Structure formats: C-alpha cells, structure tokens
Amino acid sequence: MPKYFAEKIFGHWLYFTTHCILEAMHVHASQDSKLREKGAAKFFVYADGTSKMMVQGTLRNHEVPLVQDFIKQHYLEMFAKWQELSDKGFYGAENKG
C-alpha cells in the first residue's frame, strides 16, 4: 500500500490502498504496519487542504485534529503521490458540510 510518508506521523502511518484510487483523494491513518482499511481512520481531502473525517478508526479524539492539521500542511505533497496512481481529484466542494 502506498504510504504518503516513510515515517509515522503522530504514531500513525498515513497511506492509501490501491482499492482506494476509485474514490476522491483521501488519507487513511493507522498504527497497523499492514496498512489495511480495517480499523483505520479515513479522511477525505478538499482542494484547500481541509479534510472531513469519515471514519475515526482507532484514532483517539485528541489525535484527530493533529492528523487533520498535518494533512492541511502537507496536502499538495500528498496529492502528488495520490495522482501517481489515481486520476481522481480532491473531495468535491459540493459535498463539503
């Protein structure tokens, strides 16, 4: 599974799976080194770098904003990796809310 970064971020891997590339750009966060969707948090990413948490997974409440802030700071770099395998763009503005 493609990792966005080689190291853990706040104790979690940030990644996507090859099954994910049919959806809009998003980020899974998990402590599991197998990088599965089961138990992972899932954040859809908007074109401005903000994100919407769809699944909390095993993230603790205080970790959610940390991961979201990190995504916002690094979303363009992450999107470049996403686009290596997917032709899908950011999560649609019409879905924001």
Side-chain angles (χ1 to χ4, degrees), residues 31-72:
Q31 293 176 329
D32 182 1
S33 63
K34 294 182 182 175
L35 307 181
R36 296 176 285 201
E37 288 188 57
K38 183 179 179 182
K42 182 175 183 178
F43 299 89
F44 276 102
V45 182
Y46 296 104
D48 64 359
T50 59
S51 61
K52 180 177 185 175
M53 183 177 66
M54 303 303 281
V55 178
Q56 188 165 343
T58 60
L59 280 180
R60 295 182 186 116
N61 289 340
H62 74 276
E63 294 171 322
V64 172
L66 296 173
V67 171
Q68 287 183 302
D69 288 344
F70 186 89
I71 291 170
K72 185 162 183 152

